[in-house]
Amino acid sequence: MSRVLVVGSLNADLVVRTERFPGPGETVAGADLTTGPGGKGANQAVAAARLGARAGVAVAMVGAIGDDDHGRTVRDAVAAAGADVAAVVVRPGTATGTAVITVDATGDNTIVVSPGANAGLAAADLPSFDDVAVLTLSLEIPTPTVLAAARAARAAGTTVLLNLSPSAAVPPELLDATDVLVVNEHEAALLGDHPVARSVVTRGAAGCEVHDPGPDTVTTVEAMRVDPVDTTGSGDAFLAAVAVRLAAGDDLADAARYAVRAGALAVTVAGAQLPVVGEDERLRFGL
Ligand code: RIB
């Protein structure tokens, strides 16, 4: 069975819906606070496990949580989706990461993350990559750990997907150890002119562009039209879907065509993690 490994963050998402975002120094009223599982890594693992189940792709996650209710809740959510969480380590004395999220009436969001245990995930926590087909990485864990994972995976012949989110400049050696970059337009601007062989640039409701190989061969993929409820986690579902389809043998353009549909499904529900849907909904989204 082909395997996807997610090395990344696990958070508790503290969410308040509000009509519009406050400006600096402004207070606005919101709806009731909800708490749910999140974190870019956990969201990717949940989406990959749900999508991978149909494709014969197994999923595992590596990450760090505190010895607290938030940590157990998010780890259990990843496990319930079908991913192996044996390599999610518990750090007593450290809080699980939290994300303070506001979602406005259009479904758009703002997110502030307190890393907690995610900040302690180290290269020593990484497993062997020998039987991993595709690795997904994003930037809510320390960059040296991301780099160590990318290099170890590369050395084992694993395809390395890197999402530059939260947006940050990254060392060139990390880009060199990456097979496919997945970025939004803002993150793409941070890359400067460092050459990247294969990339997907996501454009929200405008779909995405696949550069494979290099910047001269571009495939444009249109988005699905949906009424957004909550865009939180859509990018994570997208990345996970690309990983699953690459692990299943698709080329990058076909993987991206599938991923825009997974990303579209993710925005139709509240919360950061790809939902379980009925057969009608699955067929409507072509997943
Ligand atoms: O990508 C969405 C995620 O970003 C949220 O679940 C939140 O935890 C932050 O990590």
Side-chain angles (χ1 to χ4, degrees):
M1 189 181 230
S2 191
R3 284 189 69 212
V4 167
L5 181 68
V6 177
V7 175
S9 58
L10 302 98
N11 292 334
D13 286 357
L14 314 183
V15 184
V16 177
R17 294 200 72 109
T18 174
E19 191 58 30
R20 65 173 179 84
F21 300 129
E26 186 185 11
T27 301
V28 297
D32 288 346
L33 176 77
T34 61
T35 303
K40 295 184 194 305
N43 300 343
Q44 290 158 25
V46 166
R50 295 208 159 118
L51 298 169
R54 296 191 62 80
V57 174
V59 177
M61 172 161 199
V62 178
I65 55 175
D67 184 10
D68 52 27
D69 287 346
H70 280 167
R72 285 182 280 278
T73 298
V74 61
R75 184 187 56 192
D76 290 354
V78 175
D84 181 347
V85 294
V88 173
V89 295
V90 179
R91 301 271 196 246
T94 308
T96 295
T98 47
V100 177
I101 301 176
T102 52
V103 180
D104 76 3
T106 72
D108 208 354
N109 65 68
T110 69
I111 304 177
V112 178
V113 172
S114 173
N118 297 305
L121 190 71
D125 297 314
L126 299 173
S128 158
F129 289 87
D130 282 349
D131 61 347
V132 178
V134 180
L135 168 69
T136 75
L137 294 166
S138 46
L139 300 177
E140 276 185 345
I141 57 172
T143 303
T145 309
V146 174
L147 178 59
R151 283 180 165 162
R154 259 293 183 80
T158 300
T159 299
V160 178
L161 303 192
L162 172 64
N163 182 209
L164 294 188
S165 180
S167 56
V170 290
E173 52 268 35
L174 177 54
L175 300 177
D176 291 340
T178 297
D179 293 296
V180 181
L181 260 182
V182 179
V183 289
N184 64 27
E185 293 158 288
H186 173 68
E187 293 152 3
L190 292 173
L191 289 173
D193 52 11
H194 193 92
V196 176
R198 306 165 78 200
S199 64
V200 181
V201 180
T202 58
R203 302 191 185 285
C208 69
E209 273 180 7
V210 180
H211 301 252
D212 181 21
D216 299 331
T217 310
V218 180
T219 304
T220 301
V221 178
E222 295 209 352
M224 257 186 96
R225 289 193 192 288
V226 290
D227 288 329
V229 172
D230 182 354
T231 55
T232 313
S234 172
D236 303 326
F238 184 97
L239 186 72
V242 171
V244 165
R245 291 315 313 172
L246 290 181
D250 280 4
D251 66 20
L252 187 57
D254 281 344
R257 288 184 188 99
Y258 180 86
V260 294
R261 301 195 298 267
L265 171 61
V267 306
T268 62
V269 294
Q273 302 197 326
L274 194 73
V276 177
V277 292
E279 194 63 5
D280 287 354
E281 213 50 356
R282 187 184 70 72
L283 292 173
R284 179 163 87 87
F285 283 89
L287 294 172

